[in-house]
Amino acid sequence: MEAKNNQLKSIWGKWWLPIRKWFYPVWLIYELSIRFYEYSEITYRFFISGDYIGELGLQLLAVFSGIATFVICTFFLTAPASFVLYKFFKANNLPDAQFEQKLKVYF
């Protein structure tokens, strides 16, 4: 039982262990926010280039679609992925999955 409950050591040293559980989720939030901002900007430009519902309606549709794209992607993709990543690095004992044990050592 004690053989399965050992703490894996990181190749970066002991100082990295408390930092990594916050670093990787924050990095993921940063990277995905930039990507989703680009998606929302592309959505905005797609709707603003059209000429089918007048100037004010077109502007409102473009702004709403851009904001909705960013919010939906952040809420349904970024938040759950960051939470799962945080929980992964916070867990001290891992299940019997060899892949998780090998992966956690490198991070």
Side-chain angles (χ1 to χ4, degrees):
M1 185 71 157
E2 290 179 18
K4 289 186 178 183
N5 203 9
N6 61 349
Q7 177 66 27
L8 296 175
K9 296 182 181 184
S10 175
I11 61 172
W12 305 110
K14 288 186 177 184
W15 65 272
W16 181 245
L17 294 177
I19 296 171
R20 72 178 180 182
K21 69 180 170 185
W22 291 105
F23 174 76
Y24 289 116
V26 169
W27 172 75
L28 182 68
I29 289 170
Y30 170 74
E31 290 292 329
L32 290 178
S33 295
I34 289 173
R35 181 66 58 202
F36 294 149
Y37 177 77
E38 291 173 359
Y39 290 164
S40 63
E41 188 177 5
I42 291 169
T43 305
Y44 173 82
R45 288 183 184 172
F46 172 77
F47 283 116
I48 208 71
S49 66
D51 193 24
Y52 43 86
I53 58 171
E55 190 174 329
L56 181 61
L58 193 61
Q59 185 71 22
L60 289 173
L61 177 66
V63 168
F64 176 75
S65 298
I67 291 172
T69 300
F70 183 79
V71 168
I72 289 170
C73 288
T74 299
F75 184 72
F76 286 108
L77 298 173
T78 305
S82 296
F83 180 72
V84 167
L85 195 59
Y86 173 77
K87 285 297 204 181
F88 175 72
F89 284 114
K90 189 175 178 187
N92 289 334
N93 54 352
L94 293 172
D96 292 332
Q98 287 288 358
F99 175 73
E100 288 182 5
Q101 292 176 357
K102 289 179 183 177
L103 183 69
K104 196 169 182 179
V105 171
Y106 293 112
F107 288 116

